[in-house]
Amino acid sequence: MIKCFVENCLQDFSTTNEYVAHLKNHNLNKPYILKCTFECCPQVLSSFYKFRRHLKSHLLERMEQADQNPRTSKQSKNEYQEAEERMDTGDNEVALPSTSTQTATMHLQNSLSSLDRLAINFVIDLHRKRNFNRKDVTDILKGVHSVYSNIGRLISTAAPTSQDVQQQYVFDMYVRKVSNIFEFIDTEHKLFKYLEEADLYKKPNVYVIHIDKVELYSDRNVETPEKRTYLTMSNVKYQIRKFFELGNVLEKTLEHMENLQKSARLENFVNGALFKTVEAKCPEKIIIPIFFYSDEFEINDPLSAHNKRHSICALYYSFPTLPTSYTAKLSNIFVAGAIKKIDISQHGVDKLIGHVIDTFKEIESNGIVINTRNHEYRVHFPLMLVQGDNLGLHQMLKFSGSFTANLYCRFCRRTKDYLRFDIVEHEDSLRDVDNYNIDVQQKQSVSGLTGKSLFNSLESFHTVSNFYADIMHDFYSSGVCSFGFTEVLNYCIYIKKMCTLVQINSRRKQLNNYRLEQGLSRMPDIDETYMKSQKKKTVILRMTASEMAVFANFFSFIVGPFVPLNDPVWKFAITLT
């Protein structure tokens, strides 16, 4: 009899079919953890098919021990083949004969499982190649299968038949496995199904947000097709759980957070007042903050006349408190979802972002259970900062999308006439929760708001406390550094004539020879042009944000030898480096 492994269940079964049907009534959670209850068997399996097959080997072993009339080798071999064929056709009550000992059975199963792992790793590595598409992977697998099947056929033909039934059976199993090593994942459906059953993959969720009727026919009696708006979203809870269950990522992260909080300096987000306020509300919970980020990218011929029609708004999230060895990898910035930019413009961001907000609400309030090698943790992940460029932030947080509007700043309520000349912060004009609630009821021209942000429904987030600046645009690519260094170079080259443009470019190339930074080698030469309106020459800095950051770091080395230390313009330039 087979005993049920489920706790507090005392039922016994004589056949594997009855037992498996009984287990399915228990509604076990995936990934399945199916434990064998036969004496001295530690086997744990993850699918009902493998579990049923394993139990049959135990039952047949007991039948053989009770059989007083030993079978001949020929009879045993025929029974092995017959059992294998009947199992392939779905006969649930015929099992393959077991090995002479439980150790041999487990060794064969582990060996075949190791071949499965090698096959799945090979296929996943192929899909990971950036220059391979899915058709390329399928073609490669077909070619490898053709080679292996021919090798298996040649081995089966050339190998002598063993007199030992068990040895012959093991040999045949290995040859069959090698001949069809990709059989269980030779299609996309089988591959994804296998990965899901092994708890290695979860399909993204696709939500239908809006449905429009599209009129294509003049005859109103003809049913018209529908135009749907979709939100594609990753399984965020699954992503987070699997990431923190890898090795000792969770323990390292918690240890790193503890070390950061002990520091008296402002080194990380956890040293700030916002995180301390949230942590004080729930001192008994384990909290790891999440940063949310959104940005757009172009697909399908971005240079055509319809270049903005296929723009995609991608949604990402990251963990600011990960150890440096993890934050340095782009793979640790996770994709939360994707929305078509044109759908945001037509239907508004709230309709499309609602499911994302609900997910972050759940992982903040309920947390995620993470099982590590030594302990089980329930970790809460509050979303505490929304990042992005200026336009993206204003769109997501419902601020004015025009930066020439009367109130265009998301940090304060001062008008553009004052902001043009402000050089200090005016605390009485900063946005806070009270004046935000007042402004959200007023017109956009008076408040600078297009509505109430859905992000404010999160427990640990509010738009007025989202102190994030777009450093790439505001400081590097088209901001302070671009204007500041242009004026400094014009002052040094054309006004004071301390150096020439040729000397500046030559100096930069000399520093590049020392291989101090790769950005120096990618950086183009600084050009000059003549401004007819002002009747003077000026330098032109054509640099990306990363190149401008490198140029700022090395500016004092490039221009410094030509400028006196007490020059007032040079003191300004030092503040930018």
Side-chain angles (χ1 to χ4, degrees):
M1 301 294 288
I2 310 172
K3 296 182 180 179
C4 181
F5 72 87
V6 178
E7 189 176 359
N8 299 326
C9 183
L10 305 177
Q11 295 192 42
D12 297 332
F13 303 92
S14 58
T15 65
T16 57
N17 274 355
E18 293 176 355
Y19 183 31
V20 170
H22 168 75
L23 289 177
K24 290 181 178 179
N25 292 331
H26 276 298
N27 296 322
L28 302 175
N29 295 325
K30 290 186 177 181
Y32 296 129
I33 302 177
L34 308 174
K35 302 178 182 178
C36 181
T37 54
F38 277 84
E39 187 177 0
C40 300
C41 181
Q43 192 75 6
V44 177
L45 298 105
S46 59
S47 70
F48 284 110
Y49 170 76
K50 294 180 180 179
F51 189 56
R52 182 189 289 116
R53 182 172 179 173
H54 174 74
L55 294 176
K56 288 174 182 176
S57 67
H58 283 296
L59 293 174
L60 193 55
E61 183 179 4
R62 289 190 174 183
M63 292 172 60
E64 287 180 344
Q65 292 175 354
D67 191 358
Q68 300 299 323
N69 299 317
R71 293 172 292 185
T72 64
S73 299
K74 184 175 181 180
Q75 290 173 334
S76 298
K77 183 177 179 181
N78 291 335
E79 287 180 8
Y80 275 107
Q81 294 174 347
E82 180 182 356
E84 186 176 354
E85 291 172 0
R86 294 182 64 183
M87 180 172 286
D88 288 342
T89 58
D91 192 334
N92 293 323
E93 285 309 312
V94 178
L96 292 175
S98 65
T99 58
S100 58
T101 62
Q102 183 63 33
T103 304
T105 302
M106 293 180 61
H107 177 72
L108 176 61
Q109 292 175 348
N110 291 336
S111 299
L112 297 178
S113 298
S114 66
L115 291 176
D116 287 343
R117 288 193 295 270
L118 291 173
I120 194 68
N121 289 338
F122 177 75
V123 174
I124 291 175
D125 286 339
L126 288 178
H127 282 285
R128 196 178 296 163
K129 304 292 184 183
R130 295 184 178 181
N131 56 337
F132 285 178
N133 56 37
R134 293 184 178 181
K135 185 178 183 303
D136 294 334
V137 175
T138 303
D139 292 341
I140 292 173
L141 293 183
K142 287 180 180 178
V144 175
H145 170 73
S146 177
V147 174
Y148 275 41
S149 61
N150 287 326
I151 292 175
R153 179 175 55 81
L154 293 173
I155 292 176
S156 298
T157 304
T161 303
S162 175
Q163 297 299 320
D164 189 321
V165 178
Q166 182 60 37
Q167 288 183 0
Q168 184 64 38
Y169 172 72
V170 171
F171 174 79
D172 291 340
M173 288 296 292
Y174 278 130
V175 172
R176 179 185 175 189
K177 186 65 178 178
V178 171
S179 301
N180 302 278
I181 193 167
F182 298 116
E183 183 180 13
F184 68 107
I185 51 171
D186 58 356
T187 64
E188 285 188 12
H189 173 73
K190 290 182 180 179
L191 174 62
F192 289 133
K193 184 178 179 181
Y194 177 88
L195 293 176
E196 286 187 7
E197 290 180 351
D199 196 30
L200 297 173
Y201 169 78
K202 292 290 184 183
K203 290 183 179 179
N205 300 316
V206 180
Y207 300 96
V208 179
I209 306 299
H210 188 81
I211 300 177
D212 284 334
K213 291 288 184 179
V214 182
E215 297 290 344
L216 294 180
Y217 308 99
S218 58
D219 186 0
R220 296 291 179 177
N221 295 325
V222 178
E223 185 177 354
T224 59
E226 297 174 343
K227 179 182 177 183
R228 299 171 182 262
T229 301
Y230 297 98
L231 163 68
T232 303
M233 187 175 175
S234 304
N235 194 314
V236 175
K237 291 178 61 177
Y238 173 80
Q239 285 180 334
I240 295 175
R241 177 175 66 84
K242 295 300 289 185
F243 173 69
F244 282 102
E245 286 181 351
L246 288 173
N248 53 354
V249 174
L250 181 60
E251 286 85 352
K252 285 184 177 180
T253 302
L254 297 177
E255 182 182 356
H256 184 61
M257 289 180 62
E258 185 177 353
N259 294 333
L260 288 171
Q261 290 177 302
K262 291 178 181 177
S263 175
R265 297 181 299 174
L266 187 62
E267 297 183 35
N268 192 276
F269 182 80
V270 296
N271 300 121
L274 180 59
F275 180 80
K276 292 179 180 179
T277 302
V278 174
E279 189 180 37
K281 294 180 181 178
C282 42
E284 297 180 355
K285 295 181 179 179
I286 302 175
I287 297 175
I288 297 179
I290 286 182
F291 285 0
F292 182 84
Y293 178 80
S294 65
D295 200 5
E296 298 173 12
F297 62 93
E298 295 279 350
I299 62 172
N300 297 342
D301 189 14
L303 299 179
S304 70
H306 306 285
N307 57 339
K308 295 296 181 182
R309 188 173 184 82
H310 301 288
S311 181
I312 302 294
C313 179
L315 312 175
Y316 310 90
Y317 65 95
S318 60
F319 305 96
T321 56
L322 292 177
T324 308
S325 58
Y326 295 111
T327 55
K329 297 179 179 179
L330 287 176
S331 58
N332 292 333
I333 299 176
F334 302 94
V335 179
I339 314 170
K340 291 186 70 173
K341 176 67 170 65
I342 192 172
D343 292 337
I344 296 178
S345 303
Q346 291 178 353
H347 307 296
V349 68
D350 285 351
K351 288 184 179 180
L352 294 161
I353 207 73
H355 292 285
V356 181
I357 300 297
D358 292 340
T359 299
F360 284 111
K361 280 183 183 178
E362 183 180 357
I363 63 177
E364 178 181 4
S365 59
N366 300 332
I368 300 176
V369 177
I370 298 175
N371 294 296
T372 63
R373 297 174 181 175
N374 304 320
H375 194 66
E376 180 180 280
Y377 300 87
R378 180 174 290 276
V379 186
H380 299 262
F381 297 90
L383 191 154
M384 305 186 72
L385 194 70
V386 176
Q387 301 172 309
D389 57 24
N390 289 318
L391 185 60
L393 281 171
H394 281 236
Q395 185 181 61
M396 284 290 171
L397 302 181
K398 306 295 285 289
F399 287 101
S400 175
S402 172
F403 298 107
T404 59
N406 191 39
L407 284 89
Y408 64 81
C409 182
R410 62 179 179 273
F411 301 113
C412 72
R413 305 165 76 198
R414 290 177 67 81
T415 62
K416 63 180 179 181
D417 295 331
Y418 291 105
L419 291 173
R420 289 173 181 173
F421 305 100
D422 284 342
I423 58 174
V424 295
E425 182 184 273
H426 296 268
E427 294 185 5
D428 58 335
S429 299
L430 294 177
R431 295 186 185 273
D432 56 34
V433 177
D434 294 332
N435 59 42
Y436 178 88
N437 292 331
I438 297 173
D439 290 342
V440 79
Q441 304 296 331
Q442 300 181 9
K443 295 181 179 179
Q444 178 180 344
S445 58
V446 179
S447 63
L449 300 172
T450 60
K452 187 175 182 179
S453 174
L454 198 61
F455 281 91
N456 291 342
S457 61
L458 295 169
E459 185 177 348
S460 303
F461 179 87
H462 200 281
T463 54
V464 298
S465 59
N466 189 67
F467 297 113
Y468 176 80
D470 181 10
I471 298 176
M472 185 183 76
H473 292 94
D474 293 345
F475 199 72
Y476 290 121
S477 64
S478 57
V480 177
C481 281
S482 179
F483 292 108
F485 287 135
T486 298
E487 295 300 323
V488 171
L489 290 173
N490 287 338
Y491 172 82
C492 296
I493 297 173
Y494 304 115
I495 298 176
K496 292 297 183 178
K497 300 187 185 303
M498 300 173 182
C499 55
T500 65
L501 187 59
V502 175
Q503 289 175 315
I504 297 297
N505 286 324
S506 176
R507 180 76 177 168
R508 181 189 62 80
K509 292 177 181 178
Q510 288 178 5
L511 290 174
N512 177 43
N513 293 335
Y514 291 103
R515 301 182 183 275
L516 296 175
E517 177 63 46
Q518 270 192 343
L520 288 174
S521 61
R522 297 196 305 266
M523 193 183 305
D525 285 341
I526 301 172
D527 295 328
E528 66 179 4
T529 187
Y530 183 78
M531 300 175 63
K532 292 183 179 180
S533 59
Q534 301 181 15
K535 296 182 179 181
K536 66 177 184 179
K537 289 183 178 181
T538 181
V539 298
I540 302 175
L541 301 179
R542 295 188 178 93
M543 301 179 189
T544 63
S546 60
E547 289 171 351
M548 181 62 76
V550 174
F551 184 68
N553 290 334
F554 288 93
F555 187 81
S556 57
F557 295 97
I558 297 173
V559 186
F562 307 106
V563 184
L565 290 177
N566 58 354
D567 189 278
V569 175
W570 180 247
K571 291 181 180 179
F572 163 75
I574 292 298
T575 62
L576 298 179
T577 60

